[in-house]
Amino acid sequence: MNQEQFHARLAQYKLIASVKEAKHLEKAAEANLSAAVLSIGNIGVIKGYVDFFKSKNIPVFLHLERIGGISHDREGIAFLAHYVKPDGIVTTRNTLVKLAKKQGLLTIQRLFLVDSDSIKSGLTSLQDTQPDAVELMPGLLPEFIGEFRNVIDTPIISGGLIRKQEEMEEVLKHGATAVSVGNPLLWKECKNLDSSVVI
């Protein structure tokens, strides 16, 4: 999957499933997803998880800091790109975004909005790394999406602490391209989300 295809899928389905337990893999695969982000597994099982989603034609990303046994260096990223073969990675680290891009992986850079300094440093970081998408957390601060939307053209994903479909819709109304949620019940409800939600 290339960047253009990923961006089109984000705009179409608007939902990313953040999978945190192996028992939820099947439920995620049944939803209408932009992508699945795996925050589970280790070097021994992760290829099987990735292959599962690829068999369902669902783009799959690895939350790199949550996958055990894979080194966070050039060799580790090369191993991921050429053996595990996810579509991309999610990370908070600038260096990992750059390494992954060099290996042809799509990148989602995660930023935590804890204060005004984190907003400023986050925007600087994005200009440096140029990820394929940015994930702003927590999702319950949708009013800050506009600050990023005014500065960057990168698709914005928002997630974290979202518990209701109304909160998901609020995030989209504030300009997020897609919403990331970890609750399997919301993956089902999100079948009702479409492009008409966005203003």
Side-chain angles (χ1 to χ4, degrees), residues 17 52 91 103-104 116 118 130 139 156 159 168 174:
F52 169 73
T91 183
Q103 293 293 336
S116 56
S118 67
Q130 299 288 309
I156 295 173
M168 297 164 59
H174 278 80

Side-chain angles (χ1 to χ4, degrees), residues 9 25-26 28-30 36 38 46-60 84-87:
R9 191 169 174 107
L25 292 167
E26 292 277 356
E30 294 169 0
L38 303 183
I46 198 61
K47 180 167 173 52
Y49 294 168
V50 168
D51 289 346
F52 169 73
F53 281 102
K54 286 190 167 266
S55 74
K56 305 287 187 182
N57 295 314
I58 297 172
V60 57
V84 181
K85 298 183 179 178
D87 292 281

Side-chain angles (χ1 to χ4, degrees), residues 5-61:
Q5 292 168 328
F6 175 50
H7 288 180
R9 191 169 174 107
L10 279 176
Q12 180 180 2
Y13 294 110
K14 305 198 169 303
L15 169 65
I16 291 177
S18 178
V19 183
K20 300 173 183 176
E21 296 183 56
K23 67 182 181 180
H24 293 151
L25 292 167
E26 292 277 356
K27 288 182 181 178
E30 294 169 0
N32 292 329
L33 301 179
S34 299
V37 171
L38 303 183
S39 297
I40 54 167
N42 56 55
I43 196 170
V45 299
I46 198 61
K47 180 167 173 52
Y49 294 168
V50 168
D51 289 346
F52 169 73
F53 281 102
K54 286 190 167 266
S55 74
K56 305 287 187 182
N57 295 314
I58 297 172
V60 57
F61 288 71

Side-chain angles (χ1 to χ4, degrees), residues 19 32 47 51 72 94 96 110 121 123 135 155 158 168 191-192 195:
V19 183
N32 292 329
K47 180 167 173 52
D51 289 346
H72 296 167
N94 290 13
L96 294 180
R110 181 174 284 179
S121 64
L123 286 168
E135 183 177 11
S158 190
M168 297 164 59
K191 289 183 178 180
N192 301 322
S195 57

Side-chain angles (χ1 to χ4, degrees), residues 111-114 135-145 157-172 174 176 178-181 186:
L111 300 176
F112 292 94
L113 306 181
V114 295
E135 183 177 11
L136 302 180
M137 299 185 81
L140 294 184
L141 298 174
E143 61 271 20
F144 291 101
I145 294 170
I157 301 161
S158 190
L161 301 178
I162 293 175
R163 296 176 182 171
K164 297 184 265 185
Q165 182 164 342
E166 293 79 11
E167 293 167 344
M168 297 164 59
E169 292 172 353
E170 193 66 20
V171 163
L172 296 173
H174 278 80
V179 59
S180 174
V181 292
L186 289 178

Side-chain angles (χ1 to χ4, degrees), residues 65-87:
E65 290 91 337
R66 300 276 179 90
I67 308 298
I70 297 175
S71 61
H72 296 167
D73 56 19
R74 184 173 58 191
E75 289 75 18
I77 300 300
F79 171 79
L80 277 182
H82 301 290
Y83 176 71
V84 181
K85 298 183 179 178
D87 292 281

Side-chain angles (χ1 to χ4, degrees), residues 1-7 87 106 132:
M1 170 170 283
N2 61 33
Q3 183 190 76
E4 184 179 353
Q5 292 168 328
F6 175 50
H7 288 180
D87 292 281
L106 293 168
D132 298 292

